[in-house]
Amino acid sequence: MSNHAIEVERLTKRFGDFTAVDHIDFAVKEGEIFGFLGANGAGKSTTIRMLCALLQPTEGTARVGGHDITDAPEKVKETIGYMSQRFSLYEDLTVEENIHFFGKVYGLTDVALRERKAWALTMANLHGRETSITGTLPGGWKQRLALGCAVLHRPRIVFLDEPTSGVDPLMRRTFWELINELSSEGVTVLVTTHFLEEAEYCNDLILINAGRIIANGSPKELKRDHIKTPILEVQCSNVIEAMEWIEREPWAVETSVFGTNLHVSVSDEKAARAGIRKILKAKGMTLSSLDRITPSLEDVFLYLLDRESQRERTPV
Amino acid sequence: MIRRLWSIIKKEFRQIRRDKRVLSILTLVPAFLLFLNGYALNFDVTHIRLAVVDLEKSVRSREFLNAFVTSGYFDVVDVLPSAEEATTLLDDAEIRAALVIPGDFSANLLSGRTVDVQVLVDGVDANAATTVIGYVQAVTLQYSRGILLSALSKIGRQNYIPINYEARIWYNPELKSVKFLVPGLIGFILTITCVIATALSIVREKERNTIEQIVVSPVHAMEFIVGKLVPYALIALIAAVIVIFAAYVLFGVEVKGSFLNLFVATLLFVIAALGIGLFISTISESQQVAFQVAALASMLPTLILSGFIFPIRSMPLFLQIFSNITPAKYYLVILRGIILKGVGLAAYWEQMVYLVLFSLVVLGVSILRFRKTIG
């Protein structure tokens, strides 16, 4: 037997003429944190819904925890935990009532339920709030309770659909710590996110665009394989205007704006450094810093997405 | 399986208990509706406001008038000098009827000629007008018969009436329309509560996305639906008890038949009505739409096509066939039988079979559709 928790083969979903997921293949190793990245509407949620046996694929197959999603949807459902993008616990029940309800729905015995309830309350830091109505909890706490309820039955595989959207940065950090904890206990976590910096926390990831996988690998591999040219970070007074001038130069391979900075991937670092100084001076802009940086995953993705959109514009 | 089902039922009860608005709608509103409808929906015609134009003002004419007053159906509210003034009062709906006694009333009577008494009736409400005319006829015939009899005895014939009748009215001896209406109201109210409450409760899960957490769990569609239906069926039964009790206290409507029969029939009907609610929840995405569809689908057919107010037998044939879309039609027949006549369920097996069939079809279709919508 393979040590893959999830195996996806040529999985496809069409809604009428629209192909939401287009022949994707990937495999998730047991116990790893697997990132599933892409813009909204790229096909992430559709894929997850198929893997949770909520949606029948149009073509292709997938095995989740060794169970085929089309042949044994019930088995799949017993194996997995799922946390939806939109909060989906009962807001009009108390914290405790939600835990009891989901525990029993997943067939936990009273003893197991007591133990898991204590665990979930600790994890979500909700001791003393057992009888609070769930709807009155702050957003981040709700998300943690939702995660707790999703893994009450100790699933071997957990799907987290945008678990950190709408959560403040500090809470996002703690949330990722929880995800790491799960993974260290041997749980396979498949997580979707559109926060590119969160991708760094994943062991492996795929980037999906318009229903197709455009990159696949560990963060390190992705950076190594796709960023071959040095990247310079430019801090200057008028970023947009500077970018317009710089991208005309022959040594500029790729330019993109990161907040108030400009990232330029260059073919010849020496020529570029001199060129950038010259341009900015000529246009009367002040240069605060110019440094070579180690590429982030964000650089990789922007590069890949940009390449993809160019490919679409010039069909082969 | 049972454990999962039980936890869903428990969860549902908790949510209902916490939502005070829904709880009060489900239990108090039915009794309130009964109260309102019981008094407002009154088809009894009594205390008819009558104006009198007595052009003769003799002993005989007054005697004739008195016959109207003592009948108990009429209140003489005005005595007018001419028929024209009666017309004005009729126009203004001040009076329901006017009685015009001609100036030659006694003269004609004494000389054995037929007297023409004029009765003006407000015919806007056709049913009430028919009833008024019926009463006028009864009073007039009674009075005429008295004269006839005394005339006969004068010429030496004995008091003799060729055919006499004695009417015994069964089930509702006082002919009170409320007794006829209350069972209908119970059906009406139960339909509204069951259909609207279930439709809303399932659509709410869709709207709040809580259904997603349910469908990824091992809960079967069947368990979810039964878990939803059981609490509402129980509440509907409680509402039915409240309504039946209120009908007894407010209108003196007693249940003549067995309570067990009543329970069995009501349970069957509640299941059918919940099935309609479930079906509506599978075709609507928001609570607002669900509420409108449910209100429309439950109230209109129950009000018009169930025989609650309008007798089905006097409808055109296609409407009679169409009226089968509402299970209330059959339930009302059973209900009236049990409450008013005290008849057992055995007499209503056809209606029972229909209710069972209806429930099976509507629940079956809904479960199939439900599986599809959440998939």
Side-chain angles (χ1 to χ4, degrees):
Chain A
M1 279 294 284
S2 68
N3 60 343
H4 286 148
I6 305 172
E7 291 167 306
V8 177
E9 271 172 59
R10 302 184 58 73
L11 194 66
T12 303
K13 182 70 192 180
R14 275 187 283 270
F15 298 104
D17 288 340
F18 173 68
T19 307
V21 176
D22 193 359
H23 297 94
I24 61 171
D25 295 273
F26 64 88
V28 180
K29 292 199 248 344
E30 235 158 67
E32 74 170 340
I33 301 177
F34 190 86
F36 197 11
L37 285 87
N40 286 332
K44 284 178 301 185
S45 288
T46 309
T47 308
I48 286 215
R49 292 176 70 80
M50 284 192 282
L51 295 181
C52 292
L54 297 186
L55 212 57
Q56 285 286 315
T58 317
E59 262 178 59
T61 56
R63 295 172 72 79
V64 175
H67 305 294
D68 192 291
I69 55 166
T70 12
D71 299 342
E74 300 305 319
K75 288 272 178 224
V76 169
K77 285 180 182 179
E78 282 167 22
T79 317
I80 61 163
Y82 169 79
M83 182 180 153
S84 144
Q85 186 171 354
R86 263 178 70 196
F87 185 70
S88 58
L89 300 185
Y90 290 95
E91 304 228 9
D92 48 356
L93 294 184
T94 65
V95 170
E96 201 172 42
E97 286 165 353
N98 265 309
I99 295 176
H100 283 173
F101 174 68
F102 285 106
K104 292 215 171 115
V105 155
Y106 278 99
L108 262 61
T109 62
D110 288 335
V111 180
L113 182 58
R114 210 170 306 133
E115 187 243 321
R116 293 302 280 168
K117 177 182 158 189
W119 172 86
L121 288 172
T122 310
M123 185 217 65
N125 200 12
L126 283 170
H127 276 294
R129 300 289 293 265
E130 290 92 337
T131 52
S132 301
I133 298 290
T134 308
T136 63
L137 296 176
W141 298 39
K142 278 198 226 169
Q143 286 303 86
R144 279 159 63 175
L145 179 61
L147 178 63
C149 285
V151 297
L152 275 179
H153 58 297
R154 295 185 183 278
R156 281 164 49 215
I157 301 163
V158 179
F159 292 92
L160 306 174
D161 195 2
E162 301 272 354
T164 52
S165 66
V167 174
D168 66 76
L170 203 70
M171 213 40 133
R172 256 161 61 193
R173 277 269 294 276
T174 21
F175 208 89
W176 273 97
E177 280 163 19
L178 293 174
I179 293 176
N180 273 319
E181 224 169 275
L182 283 175
S183 155
S184 67
E185 287 169 16
V187 177
T188 310
V189 182
L190 190 147
V191 56
T192 76
T193 179
H194 62 261
F195 292 111
L196 294 176
E197 73 270 17
E198 289 187 344
E200 304 269 2
Y201 306 137
C202 301
N203 302 115
D204 270 305
L205 46 89
I206 54 174
L207 177 65
I208 181 170
N209 182 47
R212 295 210 316 277
I213 293 174
I214 58 172
N216 191 349
S218 71
K220 217 183 213 166
E221 288 166 349
L222 287 171
K223 284 181 214 170
R224 190 192 61 209
D225 296 349
H226 296 287
I227 304 288
K228 301 247 158 65
T229 55
I231 293 178
L232 294 176
E233 187 179 66
V234 184
Q235 235 181 345
C236 63
S237 54
N238 194 338
V239 179
I240 304 291
E241 200 193 331
M243 184 176 86
E244 279 166 13
W245 291 111
I246 289 171
E247 64 187 5
R248 299 178 189 182
E249 297 297 326
W251 39 260
V253 182
E254 178 83 47
T255 52
S256 47
V257 176
F258 278 72
T260 56
N261 300 337
L262 187 63
H263 286 192
V264 189
S265 69
V266 295
S267 50
D268 178 350
E269 191 182 344
K270 222 170 159 192
R273 279 182 181 267
I276 290 171
R277 281 181 206 284
K278 210 174 102 189
I279 290 169
L280 293 183
K281 203 171 179 187
K283 301 297 162 197
M285 285 182 267
T286 49
L287 177 71
S288 336
S289 72
L290 177 63
D291 294 303
R292 174 163 178 181
I293 53 162
T294 33
S296 68
L297 270 180
E298 219 162 335
D299 292 299
V300 179
F301 292 144
L302 287 174
Y303 163 73
L304 288 170
L305 289 171
D306 196 56
R307 192 182 67 182
E308 198 66 16
S309 64
Q310 272 167 16
R311 204 179 280 168
E312 275 161 29
R313 258 176 264 139
T314 49
V316 255
Chain B
M1 164 87 195
I2 294 296
R3 224 171 120 80
R4 272 204 299 249
L5 182 61
W6 177 238
S7 61
I8 294 172
I9 293 173
K10 215 156 82 180
K11 178 221 89 185
E12 203 61 37
F13 267 123
R14 285 195 169 127
Q15 287 184 298
I16 295 168
R17 193 188 60 200
R18 217 148 270 160
D19 197 343
K20 296 275 181 318
R21 220 174 25 182
V22 168
L23 194 62
S24 58
I25 286 176
L26 288 179
T27 52
L28 298 178
V29 169
F32 182 65
L33 272 179
L34 175 82
F35 175 79
L36 275 188
N37 285 307
Y39 284 113
L41 261 185
N42 194 335
F43 299 137
D44 297 343
V45 184
T46 52
H47 296 287
I48 301 156
R49 296 170 67 83
L50 178 75
V52 173
V53 182
D54 186 353
L55 297 174
E56 191 181 77
K57 291 199 176 65
S58 66
V59 180
R60 270 183 190 281
S61 72
R62 231 162 287 152
E63 195 182 78
F64 178 57
L65 258 182
N66 212 30
F68 279 85
V69 177
T70 51
S71 73
Y73 297 118
F74 297 94
D75 289 347
V76 175
V77 291
D78 262 310
V79 177
L80 305 168
S82 73
E84 283 74 41
E85 277 166 75
T87 319
T88 326
L89 286 179
L90 270 176
D91 284 345
D92 299 344
E94 286 284 323
I95 54 170
R96 224 183 190 145
L99 176 69
V100 184
I101 302 173
D104 49 3
F105 184 78
S106 313
N108 276 338
L109 269 188
L110 288 173
S111 54
R113 281 192 296 268
T114 304
V115 180
D116 288 318
V117 171
Q118 193 182 21
V119 180
L120 308 168
V121 178
D122 178 352
V124 171
D125 180 347
N127 278 328
T130 315
T131 315
V132 170
I133 291 168
Y135 291 152
V136 170
Q137 213 161 31
V139 172
T140 315
L141 279 178
Q142 184 79 27
Y143 187 78
S144 303
R145 201 172 68 175
I147 295 175
L148 205 63
L149 286 177
S150 68
L152 282 173
S153 70
K154 264 181 206 148
I155 58 167
R157 306 290 286 266
Q158 54 179 180
N159 262 354
Y160 165 70
I161 299 167
I163 299 173
N164 198 11
Y165 72 93
E166 199 173 323
R168 288 256 172 84
I169 300 161
W170 281 26
Y171 313 128
N172 182 7
E174 306 99 281
L175 287 177
K176 281 195 174 164
S177 58
V178 70
K179 291 216 166 168
F180 174 73
L181 285 176
V182 161
L185 269 175
I186 296 172
F188 182 60
I189 289 162
L190 283 182
T191 315
I192 295 176
T193 31
C194 291
V195 174
I196 296 179
T198 32
L200 283 186
S201 119
I202 294 173
V203 174
R204 189 162 47 228
E205 298 237 5
K206 281 204 238 175
E207 215 175 66
R208 295 189 186 163
N209 206 35
T210 49
I211 200 141
E212 203 164 313
Q213 208 65 51
I214 298 286
V215 291
V216 291
S217 77
V219 170
H220 294 281
M222 259 308 244
E223 289 166 349
F224 182 71
I225 287 171
V226 174
K228 278 271 173 201
L229 296 192
V230 167
Y232 286 101
L234 261 174
I235 290 173
L237 286 175
I238 293 170
V241 170
I242 294 175
V243 169
I244 288 169
F245 182 71
Y248 174 69
V249 173
L250 294 174
F251 307 109
V253 177
E254 276 176 79
V255 177
K256 292 234 174 80
S258 101
F259 278 96
L260 183 68
N261 284 347
L262 192 62
F263 172 78
V264 171
T266 304
L267 186 65
L268 269 184
F269 174 68
V270 161
I271 292 170
L274 291 172
I276 300 176
L278 181 65
F279 178 74
I280 290 168
S281 78
T282 66
I283 56 171
S284 26
E285 284 306 313
S286 73
Q287 291 193 68
Q288 209 181 350
V289 173
F291 180 79
Q292 284 167 356
V293 175
L296 214 69
S298 59
M299 279 193 220
L300 278 186
T302 317
L303 198 62
I304 297 168
L305 298 175
S306 71
F308 170 27
I309 298 174
F310 312 106
I312 294 171
R313 259 183 227 144
S314 48
M315 290 176 189
L317 185 66
F318 76 95
L319 262 190
Q320 287 194 30
I321 295 166
F322 189 60
S323 72
N324 289 323
I325 58 161
T326 167
K329 172 184 171 183
Y330 292 90
Y331 178 57
L332 288 197
V333 175
I334 306 177
L335 208 55
R336 283 185 177 133
I338 295 174
I339 294 182
L340 298 180
K341 302 185 186 170
V343 180
L345 277 183
Y348 297 109
W349 64 270
E350 265 174 88
Q351 280 82 2
M352 303 280 279
V353 165
Y354 172 83
L355 284 181
V356 171
L357 282 180
F358 186 92
S359 305
L360 285 179
V361 169
V362 77
L363 281 174
V365 170
S366 310
I367 289 171
L368 285 181
R369 272 201 61 94
F370 183 77
R371 281 215 186 114
K372 234 183 234 169
T373 49
I374 60 172

